[in-house]
Coordinates of all heavy atoms in Angstrom, one line a residue:
E1 N 101.2 70.8 161.8 CA 102.0 70.0 161.0 C 101.4 68.5 161.1 O 101.2 68.0 162.1 CB 103.4 70.0 161.5 CG 104.3 69.0 160.9 CD 105.7 69.1 161.4 OE1 106.3 70.2 161.6 OE2 106.3 68.0 161.7
A2 N 101.3 67.9 159.9 CA 100.8 66.5 159.8 C 101.9 65.6 160.3 O 103.1 65.8 160.0 CB 100.4 66.2 158.4
R3 N 101.5 64.5 161.0 CA 102.5 63.5 161.5 C 101.9 62.2 161.2 O 100.7 61.9 161.3 CB 102.7 63.7 163.0 CG 103.4 65.0 163.3 CD 103.8 65.0 164.7 NE 104.4 63.7 165.1 CZ 105.1 63.5 166.2 NH1 105.3 64.5 167.0 NH2 105.6 62.3 166.4
S4 N 102.8 61.2 160.9 CA 102.4 59.9 160.8 C 102.0 59.3 162.1 O 102.6 59.6 163.1 CB 103.6 59.1 160.2 OG 103.4 57.7 160.2
H5 N 101.0 58.4 162.1 CA 100.6 57.7 163.4 C 101.3 56.4 163.6 O 101.0 55.6 164.4 CB 99.1 57.5 163.3 CG 98.3 58.7 163.4 ND1 97.7 59.3 162.3 CD2 98.0 59.6 164.4 CE1 97.1 60.4 162.6 NE2 97.2 60.6 163.9
I6 N 102.3 56.2 162.7 CA 103.0 54.9 162.8 C 104.5 55.3 163.1 O 105.0 56.2 162.6 CB 102.9 54.1 161.5 CG1 103.4 52.7 161.6 CG2 103.5 54.8 160.3 CD1 103.1 51.8 160.5
S7 N 105.1 54.4 163.9 CA 106.5 54.6 164.3 C 107.4 53.5 163.7 O 106.8 52.5 163.3 CB 106.7 54.7 165.8 OG 106.4 53.4 166.3
D8 N 108.7 53.7 163.7 CA 109.6 52.6 163.2 C 109.3 51.4 164.0 O 109.3 50.3 163.5 CB 111.0 53.1 163.4 CG 111.5 54.1 162.4 OD1 110.7 54.3 161.4 OD2 112.5 54.7 162.5
E9 N 109.2 51.5 165.3 CA 109.0 50.3 166.2 C 107.7 49.6 165.9 O 107.6 48.3 165.8 CB 109.0 50.7 167.7 CG 109.0 49.5 168.6 CD 110.3 48.7 168.6 OE1 111.4 49.2 168.2 OE2 110.2 47.5 169.0
I10 N 106.6 50.3 165.7 CA 105.3 49.7 165.3 C 105.4 49.1 164.0 O 104.9 47.9 163.8 CB 104.2 50.8 165.3 CG1 103.9 51.2 166.8 CG2 102.9 50.2 164.7 CD1 103.0 52.4 166.9
A11 N 106.0 49.7 163.0 CA 106.2 49.2 161.7 C 107.0 47.9 161.7 O 106.6 46.9 161.1 CB 106.8 50.2 160.7
K12 N 108.1 47.9 162.4 CA 109.0 46.7 162.6 C 108.2 45.6 163.2 O 108.2 44.4 162.6 CB 110.2 47.1 163.4 CG 111.1 45.8 163.7 CD 112.2 46.2 164.7 CE 111.7 46.1 166.1 NZ 111.6 44.9 166.8
D13 N 107.5 45.8 164.3 CA 106.7 44.7 164.9 C 105.6 44.2 164.0 O 105.4 43.0 163.9 CB 106.2 45.2 166.2 CG 107.2 45.5 167.3 OD1 108.4 45.0 167.2 OD2 106.9 46.2 168.3
A14 N 104.9 45.1 163.4 CA 103.8 44.7 162.5 C 104.4 43.9 161.3 O 103.8 42.9 160.9 CB 103.1 45.9 162.0
L15 N 105.5 44.3 160.7 CA 106.0 43.6 159.6 C 106.5 42.2 160.0 O 106.3 41.2 159.3 CB 107.1 44.4 158.9 CG 106.7 45.6 158.1 CD1 107.9 46.5 157.8 CD2 106.0 45.1 156.9
Q16 N 107.1 42.1 161.2 CA 107.6 40.8 161.6 C 106.4 39.9 161.9 O 106.5 38.7 161.6 CB 108.5 41.0 162.9 CG 109.8 41.5 162.5 CD 110.8 41.7 163.6 OE1 111.9 42.1 163.3 NE2 110.4 41.5 164.9
F17 N 105.3 40.4 162.3 CA 104.1 39.6 162.5 C 103.5 39.2 161.2 O 103.2 38.0 161.0 CB 103.0 40.4 163.3 CG 101.8 39.7 163.6 CD1 101.6 38.9 164.7 CD2 100.7 39.7 162.7 CE1 100.5 38.2 165.0 CE2 99.5 39.0 162.9 CZ 99.4 38.2 164.1
V18 N 103.4 40.1 160.2 CA 102.9 39.8 158.9 C 103.8 38.7 158.2 O 103.3 37.8 157.5 CB 102.8 41.1 158.0 CG1 102.6 40.8 156.6 CG2 101.7 42.0 158.6
L19 N 105.1 38.8 158.4 CA 106.0 37.9 157.7 C 106.2 36.5 158.3 O 106.7 35.6 157.7 CB 107.4 38.6 157.6 CG 107.4 39.8 156.7 CD1 108.7 40.6 156.8 CD2 107.2 39.4 155.2
N20 N 105.7 36.4 159.5 CA 105.8 35.1 160.3 C 104.8 34.1 159.7 O 103.6 34.3 159.9 CB 105.5 35.4 161.8 CG 105.8 34.1 162.6 OD1 105.7 33.0 162.1 ND2 106.0 34.3 163.9
P21 N 105.2 33.0 159.1 CA 104.3 32.1 158.5 C 103.3 31.4 159.5 O 102.3 31.0 159.1 CB 105.3 31.0 157.9 CG 106.6 31.6 157.8 CD 106.6 32.7 158.9
S22 N 103.7 31.4 160.8 CA 102.7 30.8 161.7 C 101.5 31.7 161.9 O 100.5 31.3 162.5 CB 103.4 30.6 163.1 OG 103.8 31.8 163.7
N23 N 101.5 32.9 161.4 CA 100.4 33.8 161.5 C 99.5 33.8 160.2 O 98.6 34.6 160.1 CB 100.8 35.3 161.8 CG 101.5 35.4 163.1 OD1 101.1 34.8 164.1 ND2 102.5 36.2 163.2
H24 N 99.9 33.0 159.3 CA 99.2 32.9 158.0 C 98.1 31.8 158.0 O 98.2 30.8 158.7 CB 100.2 32.5 156.9 CG 101.2 33.6 156.7 ND1 102.2 33.4 155.8 CD2 101.4 34.8 157.2 CE1 103.0 34.5 155.8 NE2 102.5 35.4 156.7
P25 N 97.0 32.0 157.3 CA 96.7 33.1 156.5 C 96.4 34.4 157.3 O 96.0 34.3 158.5 CB 95.4 32.7 155.7 CG 94.8 31.7 156.6 CD 95.9 31.0 157.4
L26 N 96.6 35.5 156.6 CA 96.5 36.8 157.3 C 95.7 37.8 156.4 O 95.9 37.8 155.2 CB 97.9 37.3 157.6 CG 98.0 38.6 158.3 CD1 97.6 38.5 159.8 CD2 99.5 39.1 158.2
L27 N 94.9 38.6 157.0 CA 94.1 39.6 156.3 C 94.4 40.9 157.0 O 94.1 41.1 158.2 CB 92.6 39.3 156.3 CG 91.7 40.4 155.7 CD1 91.9 40.5 154.2 CD2 90.2 40.0 156.0
L28 N 94.9 41.9 156.2 CA 95.1 43.2 156.8 C 93.8 44.1 156.4 O 93.4 44.1 155.3 CB 96.3 43.9 156.1 CG 97.6 43.2 156.4 CD1 98.7 43.9 155.6 CD2 98.0 43.2 157.8
T29 N 93.3 44.7 157.5 CA 92.0 45.5 157.3 C 92.2 46.9 157.8 O 93.1 47.1 158.7 CB 90.8 44.8 157.9 OG1 91.0 44.8 159.3 CG2 90.5 43.5 157.4
V30 N 91.4 47.8 157.4 CA 91.4 49.1 157.9 C 90.5 49.3 159.1 O 89.4 48.8 159.1 CB 90.9 50.1 156.8 CG1 90.8 51.5 157.2 CG2 91.8 49.9 155.5
S31 N 91.0 49.9 160.2 CA 90.2 50.1 161.4 C 90.0 51.6 161.7 O 89.1 52.0 162.3 CB 90.8 49.4 162.6 OG 92.1 50.0 162.9
S32 N 90.9 52.4 161.2 CA 90.8 53.9 161.5 C 91.7 54.7 160.5 O 92.4 54.1 159.7 CB 91.3 54.2 162.9 OG 92.7 53.9 163.0
A33 N 91.5 56.0 160.6 CA 92.3 57.0 159.8 C 92.3 56.7 158.3 O 93.3 57.0 157.6 CB 93.8 57.0 160.3
G34 N 91.2 56.1 157.8 CA 91.1 55.9 156.4 C 92.1 54.9 155.8 O 92.3 54.8 154.6
G35 N 92.7 54.1 156.6 CA 93.6 53.0 156.1 C 95.0 53.5 155.8 O 95.8 52.7 155.2
L36 N 95.3 54.7 156.2 CA 96.7 55.2 155.9 C 97.8 54.4 156.6 O 98.8 54.1 156.0 CB 96.8 56.7 156.3 CG 95.8 57.6 155.6 CD1 96.1 59.0 156.1 CD2 96.0 57.5 154.1
E37 N 97.5 53.9 157.8 CA 98.5 53.1 158.5 C 98.7 51.7 157.8 O 99.8 51.3 157.7 CB 98.2 52.9 160.0 CG 98.4 54.1 160.8 CD 97.2 55.1 160.8 OE1 96.2 54.8 160.2 OE2 97.4 56.2 161.3
V38 N 97.6 51.1 157.3 CA 97.7 49.9 156.6 C 98.5 50.1 155.3 O 99.3 49.3 154.9 CB 96.3 49.2 156.4 CG1 96.4 48.0 155.5 CG2 95.7 48.8 157.7
A39 N 98.1 51.1 154.6 CA 98.8 51.4 153.3 C 100.3 51.7 153.5 O 101.1 51.3 152.8 CB 98.1 52.6 152.6
T40 N 100.6 52.4 154.6 CA 102.0 52.7 155.0 C 102.7 51.4 155.3 O 103.9 51.2 154.9 CB 102.1 53.7 156.1 OG1 101.4 54.9 155.8 CG2 103.5 54.0 156.5
L41 N 102.1 50.5 156.1 CA 102.7 49.2 156.4 C 103.0 48.4 155.1 O 104.0 47.8 155.0 CB 101.8 48.4 157.4 CG 102.3 47.0 157.8 CD1 103.6 47.2 158.6 CD2 101.2 46.3 158.5
V42 N 102.0 48.4 154.2 CA 102.2 47.6 153.0 C 103.3 48.3 152.2 O 104.1 47.6 151.5 CB 100.9 47.6 152.2 CG1 101.1 47.0 150.8 CG2 99.9 46.7 152.9
G43 N 103.4 49.6 152.2 CA 104.5 50.3 151.5 C 105.9 49.9 152.1 O 106.8 49.6 151.3
C44 N 105.9 49.7 153.4 CA 107.2 49.3 154.0 C 107.5 47.8 153.6 O 108.6 47.4 153.4 CB 107.1 49.4 155.5 SG 107.1 51.1 156.1
L45 N 106.4 47.0 153.6 CA 106.5 45.6 153.1 C 107.1 45.6 151.7 O 108.0 44.8 151.4 CB 105.2 44.9 153.2 CG 105.2 43.5 152.7 CD1 106.1 42.5 153.4 CD2 103.7 42.9 152.7
R46 N 106.6 46.4 150.8 CA 107.1 46.5 149.4 C 108.6 46.8 149.4 O 109.3 46.3 148.6 CB 106.3 47.5 148.6 CG 104.8 47.1 148.5 CD 104.5 45.8 147.9 NE 103.1 45.6 147.7 CZ 102.5 44.4 147.9 NH1 103.2 43.4 148.3 NH2 101.2 44.3 147.7
R47 N 109.0 47.7 150.3 CA 110.4 48.1 150.4 C 111.2 46.8 150.7 O 112.3 46.6 150.1 CB 110.7 49.1 151.5 CG 110.1 50.5 151.2 CD 111.1 51.5 150.7 NE 112.5 51.3 151.1 CZ 113.1 51.8 152.2 NH1 112.4 52.5 153.1 NH2 114.4 51.6 152.4
L48 N 110.7 46.0 151.6 CA 111.4 44.7 152.0 C 111.4 43.8 150.8 O 112.3 43.0 150.7 CB 110.6 44.0 153.1 CG 111.0 44.5 154.5 CD1 110.0 43.9 155.5 CD2 112.4 44.1 154.9
Q49 N 110.4 43.9 149.9 CA 110.4 43.1 148.7 C 111.1 43.7 147.5 O 111.0 43.2 146.4 CB 108.9 42.8 148.3 CG 108.1 42.1 149.4 CD 106.6 42.0 149.1 OE1 106.0 43.0 148.6 NE2 106.0 40.9 149.4
H50 N 111.9 44.7 147.8 CA 112.7 45.4 146.8 C 112.0 46.1 145.7 O 112.5 46.2 144.6 CB 113.8 44.4 146.3 CG 114.6 43.8 147.4 ND1 115.5 44.5 148.1 CD2 114.6 42.5 147.8 CE1 116.1 43.7 149.0 NE2 115.5 42.5 148.9
W51 N 110.7 46.5 146.0 CA 110.0 47.3 145.0 C 110.7 48.7 144.9 O 111.2 49.2 145.9 CB 108.6 47.5 145.4 CG 107.6 46.4 145.2 CD1 107.9 45.0 145.3 CD2 106.2 46.4 144.9 NE1 106.8 44.3 145.1 CE2 105.8 45.1 144.9 CE3 105.4 47.5 144.8 CZ2 104.4 44.9 144.6 CZ3 104.0 47.2 144.5 CH2 103.6 45.9 144.4
S52 N 110.6 49.3 143.7 CA 111.0 50.7 143.6 C 110.1 51.6 144.3 O 108.9 51.3 144.5 CB 111.1 51.1 142.1 OG 109.8 51.2 141.6
I53 N 110.6 52.8 144.7 CA 109.8 53.8 145.4 C 108.7 54.2 144.5 O 107.5 54.4 144.9 CB 110.6 55.0 145.9 CG1 111.6 54.6 147.0 CG2 109.8 56.1 146.3 CD1 110.9 54.1 148.3
T54 N 108.9 54.3 143.2 CA 107.9 54.7 142.2 C 106.7 53.8 142.2 O 105.6 54.2 142.3 CB 108.5 54.8 140.8 OG1 109.6 55.8 140.8 CG2 107.5 55.3 139.8
A55 N 107.0 52.5 142.2 CA 106.0 51.4 142.2 C 105.2 51.4 143.5 O 104.0 51.3 143.6 CB 106.6 50.1 142.0
I56 N 105.9 51.6 144.6 CA 105.3 51.7 146.0 C 104.3 52.9 146.0 O 103.2 52.7 146.5 CB 106.4 51.8 147.1 CG1 107.2 50.5 147.2 CG2 105.7 52.1 148.4 CD1 108.4 50.6 148.0
V57 N 104.8 54.0 145.6 CA 103.9 55.2 145.6 C 102.7 55.1 144.7 O 101.6 55.4 145.1 CB 104.8 56.5 145.2 CG1 103.9 57.7 145.0 CG2 105.8 56.8 146.3
Y58 N 102.9 54.4 143.6 CA 101.8 54.2 142.7 C 100.7 53.3 143.4 O 99.5 53.6 143.4 CB 102.3 53.5 141.4 CG 101.2 53.2 140.4 CD1 100.6 54.2 139.7 CD2 100.7 51.9 140.3 CE1 99.5 54.0 138.8 CE2 99.6 51.7 139.4 CZ 99.1 52.7 138.7 OH 98.0 52.4 137.8
E59 N 101.2 52.2 144.0 CA 100.2 51.3 144.6 C 99.6 52.1 145.8 O 98.4 51.9 146.0 CB 100.9 50.1 145.1 CG 100.0 49.1 145.8 CD 100.6 47.9 146.4 OE1 101.6 48.0 147.1 OE2 100.1 46.8 146.0
Y60 N 100.3 52.8 146.6 CA 99.8 53.5 147.7 C 98.7 54.5 147.3 O 97.7 54.6 147.9 CB 101.0 54.3 148.4 CG 100.6 55.0 149.7 CD1 100.9 54.5 150.9 CD2 100.0 56.3 149.7 CE1 100.6 55.1 152.1 CE2 99.6 56.9 150.8 CZ 100.0 56.3 152.0 OH 99.6 57.0 153.2
R61 N 99.0 55.2 146.2 CA 98.0 56.2 145.7 C 96.7 55.5 145.2 O 95.6 56.1 145.3 CB 98.6 57.0 144.6 CG 99.7 57.9 145.0 CD 99.3 59.0 145.9 NE 98.9 60.2 145.1 CZ 98.5 61.3 145.6 NH1 98.5 61.5 146.9 NH2 98.1 62.3 144.9
L62 N 96.8 54.3 144.7 CA 95.6 53.5 144.3 C 94.7 53.2 145.5 O 93.5 53.3 145.3 CB 96.0 52.2 143.7 CG 96.6 52.2 142.2 CD1 97.0 50.8 141.8 CD2 95.6 52.7 141.3
F63 N 95.3 52.9 146.6 CA 94.5 52.5 147.8 C 94.3 53.7 148.8 O 93.4 53.5 149.7 CB 95.1 51.3 148.5 CG 95.1 50.1 147.6 CD1 96.2 49.7 146.9 CD2 93.9 49.3 147.6 CE1 96.1 48.6 146.1 CE2 93.8 48.2 146.8 CZ 94.9 47.8 146.0
A64 N 95.0 54.8 148.6 CA 94.8 55.9 149.5 C 94.8 57.2 148.6 O 95.7 58.1 148.9 CB 95.8 55.9 150.6
P65 N 94.0 57.3 147.6 CA 94.1 58.4 146.7 C 93.8 59.8 147.3 O 94.3 60.8 146.8 CB 93.0 58.1 145.6 CG 92.0 57.2 146.3 CD 92.8 56.5 147.3
N66 N 93.1 59.9 148.3 CA 92.7 61.2 148.9 C 93.4 61.4 150.3 O 92.8 62.1 151.1 CB 91.2 61.3 149.0 CG 90.5 61.2 147.6 OD1 91.0 61.8 146.7 ND2 89.5 60.5 147.6
A67 N 94.5 60.7 150.5 CA 95.1 60.8 151.8 C 95.5 62.3 152.1 O 96.3 62.9 151.3 CB 96.4 59.9 151.8
P68 N 95.0 62.8 153.1 CA 95.2 64.3 153.4 C 96.7 64.5 153.8 O 97.2 65.6 153.6 CB 94.3 64.6 154.6 CG 94.0 63.2 155.2 CD 94.1 62.2 154.1
A69 N 97.3 63.6 154.4 CA 98.7 63.7 154.8 C 99.6 62.8 154.0 O 100.6 62.2 154.6 CB 98.9 63.4 156.3
Y70 N 99.3 62.6 152.8 CA 100.0 61.7 151.9 C 101.5 61.8 152.0 O 102.2 60.9 152.1 CB 99.5 61.9 150.5 CG 100.4 61.2 149.4 CD1 100.4 59.8 149.3 CD2 101.3 61.9 148.6 CE1 101.2 59.2 148.4 CE2 102.1 61.3 147.7 CZ 102.0 60.0 147.6 OH 102.8 59.3 146.7
D71 N 102.0 63.1 151.9 CA 103.5 63.3 151.9 C 104.1 62.8 153.2 O 105.3 62.2 153.2 CB 103.8 64.8 151.7 CG 103.6 65.2 150.3 OD1 103.5 64.4 149.4 OD2 103.4 66.4 150.1
V72 N 103.5 62.9 154.3 CA 104.0 62.4 155.6 C 104.2 60.9 155.6 O 105.3 60.4 156.0 CB 103.1 62.8 156.8 CG1 103.6 62.2 158.1 CG2 103.1 64.3 156.9
Y73 N 103.2 60.2 155.1 CA 103.3 58.7 155.0 C 104.3 58.3 153.9 O 105.0 57.3 154.1 CB 101.9 58.1 154.8 CG 101.0 58.3 156.0 CD1 100.2 59.3 156.1 CD2 101.1 57.3 157.0 CE1 99.4 59.5 157.3 CE2 100.3 57.5 158.1 CZ 99.4 58.5 158.3 OH 98.6 58.7 159.4
K74 N 104.3 59.0 152.8 CA 105.3 58.7 151.8 C 106.7 58.8 152.3 O 107.6 58.0 152.1 CB 105.1 59.6 150.6 CG 106.0 59.4 149.4 CD 105.7 60.3 148.3 CE 106.7 60.2 147.2 NZ 107.8 61.1 147.3
Q75 N 106.9 59.9 153.0 CA 108.3 60.1 153.6 C 108.6 59.0 154.6 O 109.8 58.6 154.7 CB 108.3 61.5 154.3 CG 108.3 62.7 153.3 CD 108.1 64.0 154.0 OE1 108.1 64.1 155.3 NE2 108.1 65.0 153.2
F76 N 107.6 58.6 155.4 CA 107.9 57.5 156.3 C 108.3 56.2 155.6 O 109.3 55.6 155.9 CB 106.6 57.2 157.2 CG 106.9 56.1 158.2 CD1 107.4 56.4 159.4 CD2 106.6 54.8 157.8 CE1 107.7 55.3 160.3 CE2 106.9 53.7 158.7 CZ 107.4 54.0 160.0
I77 N 107.6 55.9 154.5 CA 108.0 54.7 153.7 C 109.4 54.9 153.1 O 110.2 53.9 153.2 CB 106.9 54.5 152.6 CG1 105.6 54.1 153.2 CG2 107.4 53.4 151.6 CD1 104.4 54.2 152.2
E78 N 109.7 56.0 152.6 CA 111.0 56.2 152.0 C 112.1 56.1 153.0 O 113.2 55.6 152.7 CB 111.0 57.6 151.3 CG 110.2 57.7 150.1 CD 110.2 59.1 149.5 OE1 110.4 60.1 150.2 OE2 110.0 59.2 148.3
R79 N 111.9 56.6 154.2 CA 113.0 56.6 155.2 C 113.0 55.4 156.1 O 114.0 55.2 156.9 CB 113.0 57.9 156.0 CG 111.8 58.0 157.0 CD 112.1 59.0 158.1 NE 111.1 58.9 159.1 CZ 111.0 57.9 160.1 NH1 111.9 57.0 160.1 NH2 110.0 57.9 160.9
F80 N 112.0 54.6 156.0 CA 111.9 53.4 156.9 C 113.1 52.5 156.7 O 113.5 52.1 155.6 CB 110.6 52.6 156.7 CG 110.6 51.4 157.6 CD1 110.4 51.5 159.0 CD2 110.7 50.1 157.1 CE1 110.3 50.4 159.8 CE2 110.6 49.0 157.9 CZ 110.4 49.1 159.2
D81 N 113.8 52.2 157.8 CA 115.0 51.3 157.7 C 114.6 49.9 157.7 O 114.3 49.3 158.8 CB 115.9 51.7 159.0 CG 117.2 50.9 159.0 OD1 117.5 50.1 158.0 OD2 117.9 51.0 159.9
V82 N 114.6 49.3 156.6 CA 114.2 47.9 156.4 C 115.1 46.9 157.1 O 114.7 45.8 157.4 CB 114.0 47.5 154.9 CG1 112.9 48.2 154.3 CG2 115.3 47.6 154.2
T83 N 116.3 47.3 157.5 CA 117.2 46.4 158.2 C 116.8 46.2 159.7 O 117.3 45.3 160.3 CB 118.7 47.0 158.2 OG1 118.7 48.2 158.9 CG2 119.2 47.1 156.8
L84 N 115.8 47.0 160.1 CA 115.2 46.8 161.5 C 114.4 45.5 161.6 O 114.3 44.9 162.6 CB 114.3 47.9 161.9 CG 114.9 49.3 162.0 CD1 113.8 50.4 162.3 CD2 115.9 49.3 163.2
V85 N 113.9 45.0 160.4 CA 113.0 43.9 160.4 C 113.8 42.6 160.3 O 114.7 42.4 159.4 CB 112.1 44.0 159.2 CG1 111.1 42.7 159.1 CG2 111.3 45.2 159.3
T86 N 113.6 41.7 161.2 CA 114.2 40.4 161.2 C 113.3 39.4 160.4 O 112.2 39.2 160.7 CB 114.3 39.8 162.6 OG1 115.1 40.7 163.4 CG2 115.0 38.5 162.6
L87 N 113.9 39.0 159.3 CA 113.1 38.1 158.4 C 113.1 36.7 159.0 O 114.0 36.2 159.6 CB 113.7 38.1 157.0 CG 113.7 39.4 156.3 CD1 114.5 39.3 155.0 CD2 112.3 39.9 156.1
P88 N 111.9 36.0 158.8 CA 111.8 34.6 159.4 C 112.6 33.6 158.6 O 113.0 33.8 157.5 CB 110.3 34.3 159.2 CG 109.7 35.3 158.2 CD 110.7 36.4 158.2

């Protein structure tokens, strides 16, 4: 069974880091797993920005078109609780 390599806690911490202006400018890069974790993090960021799931999935597919476990990451983005993130 395919599983996401990202957890709610990791996503929350990463998003709080990304959203903190003291960490800007910031560049997100791919280091492993074909960028699926970065694409998933950006998907969660889009949820915080009130994007529709359709738009998030479209952007995700643009940057991870051949993701072998696409459904697992898509499900993570859909179920991620954005209220976990403390906005700066």
